[in-house]
Amino acid sequence: MSLNSTVFSHPPYFLLIGIPGLEKEQFWIAFPFCIMYAIAVLGNITLLLIIKAETSLHEPMYLFLAMLAFTDLVLSTSMLPKMLGIFWLGSGEIGFLSCLVQLFFVHTFSSVESGMLMAMALDRYIAICCPLRHSSILSVPVVVALGSLVLVRGVLLVSPFCFLLHRMPFCQHHVIAHSYCEHMAVVRLACGDTRVNVIYGLFVAFTVTGYDTILISVSYTVILRVIMRRSSAQARLKAFSTCTSHVCVILAFYVPGLFTFLTHRFGQSIPPHVHIIVANLYLLVPPMLNPIVYGVRTKKVWDRVV
């Protein structure tokens, strides 16, 4: 029994090493990360305050934007403060349960972010293709229900990650080659059979990313077809510009996410520091860009800022 408890108990803490191979350079790498986080926090809090204060912005598009801003704040805050502690203070220790909590928030709100981008694409589709029925189809209760479903989906899909890891034996392995508690990075430390964790991780990734990207792709494809039929060149240019900026932000979220996901499983030849830097940017770039692209470039919001 004592052997069991010694060998197979949870470690009291994990040690996050930051960016493998760049331990000396990561002190300076932290500065641009910190600036990106500051822009994300300032931009998203400003958006939330403007949307709350202006009753004229209590429309589906801006309510979804407020949900996205809140999601961005939670997503970036769940990993960046601890990461700065690792990079600047060398405080890489994180308790076992604290690691699971961070893992839960990072992956849950990554799923919520994906769902919000999908909901906003759906909103744009209805606004452009069915403008007269937009307010009746996407009423405030429907918008709140959609946001709640996206959040519940994230919680239900990610919670099993934590339960499965809590039941895993970790032997003496406690050094995580990452700058935050990412699911597969923690799974690699387990010394038991991890097939269930890996298979379930694949299922969640393909379910969330596959479903959301298909709906987003269909929405913007139909939107572009409708735009191209419009007679006014100015209207086409304006709508095309808006859609292009939205698609760029969507790609900034999904491309690094897909790269990180595939590298964990198939990218053994990719240098670890490249993988970890991209994984960090995946959680920092979209929260920084979203308030700029969806907020500053939106006339109603910009008019309130100036």
Side-chain angles (χ1 to χ4, degrees):
M1 180 67 72
S2 61
L3 180 64
N4 246 7
S5 59
T6 303
V7 178
F8 296 115
S9 62
H10 299 145
Y13 65 88
F14 288 118
L15 186 65
L16 292 160
I17 64 173
I19 304 175
L22 295 179
E23 286 84 358
K24 293 180 180 177
E25 293 84 357
Q26 63 192 21
F27 178 86
W28 302 106
I29 294 171
F31 285 97
F33 283 176
C34 187
I35 292 169
M36 292 165 70
Y37 177 63
I39 294 170
V41 170
L42 181 63
N44 286 298
I45 287 177
T46 302
L47 262 183
L48 285 170
L49 292 175
I50 290 172
I51 292 170
K52 182 183 177 183
E54 292 293 333
T55 53
S56 63
L57 297 180
H58 295 176
E59 301 172 3
M61 174 182 173
Y62 302 104
L63 294 176
F64 282 132
L65 185 55
M67 294 177 192
L68 183 67
F70 176 77
T71 301
D72 284 335
L73 285 171
V74 176
L75 186 59
S76 54
T77 303
S78 64
M79 47 75 76
L80 202 280
K82 178 61 182 175
M83 189 190 299
L84 294 180
I86 299 166
F87 291 178
W88 283 340
L89 306 174
S91 59
E93 287 189 10
I94 183 169
F96 179 79
L97 290 179
S98 298
C99 184
L100 293 187
V101 169
Q102 187 187 56
L103 183 153
F104 172 80
F105 275 94
V106 166
H107 288 287
T108 295
F109 281 88
S110 293
S111 168
V112 173
E113 175 105 357
S114 178
M116 283 295 108
L117 292 174
M118 179 267 292
M120 292 174 76
L122 184 65
D123 170 66
R124 291 299 82 207
Y125 164 78
I126 296 172
I128 290 174
C129 300
C130 312
L132 299 178
R133 299 177 56 203
H134 181 238
S135 57
S136 60
I137 295 172
L138 282 181
S139 60
V140 172
V142 171
V143 170
V144 172
L146 271 174
S148 302
L149 282 173
V150 166
L151 177 60
V152 170
R153 181 188 71 168
V155 170
L156 292 179
L157 286 175
V158 173
S159 294
F161 286 159
C162 302
F163 293 128
L164 288 169
L165 284 170
H166 195 270
R167 293 167 58 87
M168 293 296 298
F170 283 88
C171 304
Q172 300 302 313
H173 308 142
H174 70 285
V175 178
I176 301 177
H178 213 300
S179 46
Y180 59 89
C181 289
E182 196 268 348
H183 175 242
M184 283 305 298
V186 179
V187 167
R188 284 182 173 179
L189 301 185
C191 53
D193 186 356
T194 60
R195 281 178 297 181
V196 173
N197 302 67
V198 173
I199 292 168
Y200 184 69
L202 287 167
F203 166 75
V204 171
F206 283 120
T207 299
V208 173
T209 307
Y211 181 77
D212 292 349
T213 51
I214 288 170
L215 282 178
I216 290 170
S217 301
V218 169
S219 296
Y220 278 104
T221 300
V222 175
I223 287 169
L224 288 173
R225 287 180 63 187
V226 171
I227 289 170
M228 297 312 292
R229 291 199 200 108
R230 290 185 172 174
S231 55
S232 167
Q234 188 176 358
R236 281 203 303 269
L237 186 62
K238 183 181 176 182
F240 188 75
S241 171
T242 302
C243 286
T244 301
S245 60
H246 288 189
V247 169
C248 287
V249 172
I250 289 164
L251 290 176
F253 176 73
Y254 284 111
V255 172
L258 191 61
F259 174 85
T260 303
F261 170 75
L262 293 175
T263 300
H264 263 307
R265 290 157 178 85
F266 314 111
Q268 286 75 19
S269 61
I270 294 172
H273 65 273
V274 173
H275 173 205
I276 303 307
I277 288 174
V278 172
N280 293 337
L281 293 175
Y282 163 61
L283 299 184
L284 283 174
V285 172
M288 179 187 70
L289 290 180
N290 287 339
I292 297 170
V293 172
Y294 289 112
V296 173
R297 284 175 58 90
T298 304
K299 189 177 184 303
K300 276 190 177 182
V301 174
W302 180 245
D303 287 346
R304 303 307 185 280
V305 174
V306 297

